[in-house]
Amino acid sequence: MAKTKTYDLICLGGGSAGFNAARLAASLGKRVAIVDGAKELGGLCILKGCMPSKTLLYSAEILHHARHAAQFGLRVRGAAADMQAVHARKRRIIGEFAAYRQRALAGGNFDLHRAFARFVDARTVELSDGTRLAADFFLVGTGSKISVPPVPGLAEAKFWTSDDVLDLDFLPQSVIVLGGGIVACELAQFLRRMGSRVILVQRSRHILRDHSEAASTVVQKAFVDEGIELFAGTQITAIRQDARGTTVEFQHDGRRIVRRAAHLFNALGREPNTAPLNLAAAGVRTRPNGQIVINRWQQTSAPHIYAAGDCSGPAEIVHVAIQQAELAVRHAFGVPGAKPVDYGLLLNVVFTDPQLATVGRLESDLQQRGVAYLAASYPFDDHGKSILMEAKYGYVKVLAEPKRGRILGAEIVGKDAGELIHCFSVAMARRGTVFDMLRAPWYHPTLAEIITYPLEEIADQIRGA
């Protein structure tokens, strides 16, 4: 048997968490390996997530504006999607991103093993090619995979996943979308704007259930206005398929509803991709859904094994995965000044149109914790720049501490919310107040100046207290 090769750190998975952990550890002079057996290197964000979806969404946004140019006094005739051209552009752009990451993986100051790994004990993994590797520390960053929940008929059905929708080179006539999360909403709107008939069936009372009801209601209205047939608060009772397509039967508002489409898109969520790792052999505890249990230092129940990213949560967000992975490395190797990830600064963006973005604490969180706060909001349909842009959906909402006005959180649903939210992100990272933000100049007319109205309202409340 070949001798087991040893490292200071082995990263399982070469996505955002594993790659950045390996890069940091190598810069500290450690012996590092990445193990990744995926057909393509690059991770979910580059290959099948953030970047391809946003490339397609932007194409759909341009088409949407062209088709509605008349509201700006413009004539644009014959605007239509060339799906093969859209697909080719997406492949070219993502290919460039992936090639850059692949060069970084291949040329890094660490070993790259193109195989899958499973633990044989707490210090050793066996690769799918028979090689055995050992390490003082491990970082598990194997991401997530498509979930197939126990919906009647779903497991037996032929359905699309987000991977399939992101790789379409033709325009489907009609699609039933199951789910109301971020992936379901972003890609349902993409399909509708490109020209497909879209029926969205959501189990919860509102789409985007992890966000406020007020914000999700704004996005829902935009979807319905654009022609998406949307059913929220449903219970699916049957899914049937034949040569002509898919039929979904569900209960909605006490009625039996049946809808039929050429294609079915399962967007009911993802689950941690941990089952093949044999984590039990290493003493790593997981939740029933496979999510790895971690502490504030990213350590698992086996203290020398860390986890980061989608496989451990709490948020499936790239910059959070990177923060977690780098924290794990610093903690493992005793780098001075390491601090746990501050989830009080958590950023979240949904790239629907209107976009939905939050930073810090949600209002529901503050209410559940019994934290005192002041709140103020201002609508986009009463703001000059958004009116002239015909970007009238949504609002900006600010949450602040009652005495000094320190920003606790913010919620924006509206045009370019994902860009505007960073105004609050910077202020909150510096523990800024509404007064601090109002000291800055805000140019007129800009979308960003809408932020000043709720800030001024809270400032007035504090001054008048």
Side-chain angles (χ1 to χ4, degrees):
M1 179 180 291
K3 183 179 179 181
T4 300
K5 190 167 185 179
T6 61
Y7 295 92
D8 297 312
L9 173 69
I10 294 176
C11 300
L12 304 184
S16 297
F19 171 68
N20 285 283
R23 185 169 60 175
L24 177 57
S27 75
L28 298 174
K30 306 302 178 181
R31 294 166 300 155
V32 184
I34 291 179
V35 180
D36 193 321
K39 184 178 179 181
E40 291 181 273
L41 288 175
L44 175 66
C45 174
I46 291 175
L47 297 174
K48 301 291 184 181
C50 314
M51 302 314 294
S53 64
K54 278 51 186 180
T55 302
L56 297 178
L57 289 173
Y58 194 66
S59 292
E61 182 179 353
I62 291 173
L63 178 59
H64 178 74
H65 287 313
R67 285 176 167 164
H68 294 82
Q71 65 184 337
F72 299 99
L74 305 174
R75 296 177 187 171
V76 179
R77 293 196 177 101
D82 180 343
M83 289 296 288
Q84 290 191 349
V86 169
H87 175 68
R89 177 177 183 268
K90 187 262 313 185
R91 284 179 61 87
R92 185 184 74 253
I93 291 173
I94 301 312
E96 292 169 357
F97 293 146
Y100 179 82
R101 174 60 60 84
Q102 288 159 13
R103 287 194 298 271
L105 284 164
N109 295 320
F110 44 77
D111 292 345
L112 175 62
H113 295 270
R114 299 290 284 113
F116 296 101
R118 64 188 302 275
F119 283 95
V120 294
D121 59 45
R123 300 280 178 178
T124 312
V125 291
E126 183 175 79
L127 308 190
S128 51
D129 62 8
T131 304
R132 287 200 172 194
L133 307 176
D136 294 330
F137 298 100
F138 291 86
L139 186 284
V140 181
T142 49
S144 61
K145 62 180 182 178
I146 299 294
S147 175
V148 184
V151 173
L154 180 60
E156 298 76 29
K158 292 181 179 179
F159 54 77
W160 283 343
T161 68
S162 57
D163 292 359
D164 300 306
V165 175
L166 293 173
D167 213 31
L168 287 175
D169 61 359
F170 70 96
L171 183 64
Q173 179 183 8
S174 55
V175 182
I176 295 175
V177 180
L178 302 182
I182 293 175
V183 172
C185 288
E186 289 182 356
L187 295 184
Q189 189 175 39
F190 161 72
L191 290 167
R192 177 62 195 140
R193 286 184 162 187
M194 297 308 264
S196 299
R197 182 172 69 90
V198 175
I199 303 122
L200 189 148
V201 181
Q202 156 71 356
R203 292 173 294 182
S204 301
R205 254 183 351 113
H206 293 276
I207 61 173
L208 302 169
R209 64 180 182 180
D210 293 334
H211 294 269
S212 73
E213 184 174 319
S216 66
T217 298
V218 173
V219 179
Q220 262 184 219
K221 183 178 187 312
F223 279 16
V224 172
D225 289 349
E226 289 188 15
I228 293 175
E229 190 176 12
L230 192 153
F231 297 92
T234 69
Q235 181 180 357
I236 298 173
T237 54
I239 296 174
R240 296 183 294 272
Q241 290 184 324
D242 56 33
R244 296 180 299 157
T246 299
T247 299
V248 176
E249 182 179 312
F250 53 93
Q251 294 292 320
H252 179 255
D253 288 343
R255 297 184 299 131
R256 172 181 171 270
I257 307 290
V258 178
R259 287 295 182 270
R260 185 175 184 83
H263 303 280
L264 177 68
F265 171 22
N266 168 24
L268 290 170
R270 302 181 68 88
E271 60 187 36
N273 185 27
T274 58
L277 297 176
N278 194 27
L279 292 171
V284 174
R285 190 161 64 89
T286 61
R287 296 185 174 87
N289 69 345
Q291 186 182 64
I292 298 173
V293 178
I294 55 171
N295 66 12
R296 66 192 187 122
W297 301 107
Q298 306 301 131
Q299 289 173 295
T300 70
S301 50
H304 68 290
I305 301 176
Y306 295 74
D310 292 4
C311 65
S312 60
E316 297 178 2
I317 301 171
V318 168
H319 77 270
V320 173
I322 295 171
Q323 286 179 293
Q324 291 175 332
E326 292 181 347
L327 167 63
V329 170
R330 292 188 176 99
H331 185 263
F333 296 114
V335 177
K339 294 181 180 180
V341 176
D342 183 1
Y343 294 106
L345 295 175
L346 185 64
L347 270 169
N348 205 316
V349 180
V350 182
F351 289 89
T352 49
D353 185 9
Q355 294 178 2
L356 197 171
T358 60
V359 64
R361 301 299 180 188
L362 300 178
E363 190 167 13
S364 58
D365 294 337
L366 298 177
Q367 291 171 348
Q368 290 171 8
R369 294 167 182 245
V371 176
Y373 67 94
L374 297 176
S377 63
Y378 198 86
F380 272 78
D381 66 3
D382 192 40
H383 177 58
K385 184 62 181 292
S386 54
I387 290 172
L388 67 88
M389 295 175 72
E390 295 291 346
K392 301 175 186 177
Y393 291 105
Y395 57 86
V396 176
K397 188 169 195 175
V398 181
L399 309 172
E401 179 269 331
K403 292 185 178 180
R404 293 181 52 251
R406 182 169 65 86
I407 307 295
L408 301 176
E411 176 183 74
I412 307 177
V413 53
K415 177 68 174 173
D416 291 337
E419 311 298 330
L420 298 176
I421 199 69
H422 290 85
C423 298
F424 292 105
S425 179
V426 173
M428 290 180 63
R430 303 294 298 171
R431 298 182 65 81
T433 68
V434 296
F435 301 102
D436 293 328
M437 292 189 71
L438 287 170
R439 288 189 189 100
W442 298 82
Y443 202 86
H444 173 79
T446 63
L447 279 179
E449 67 173 335
I450 192 176
I451 288 169
T452 63
Y453 299 122
L455 291 174
E456 287 170 347
E457 183 177 334
I458 291 176
D460 288 344
Q461 291 181 54
I462 294 173
R463 293 189 191 103

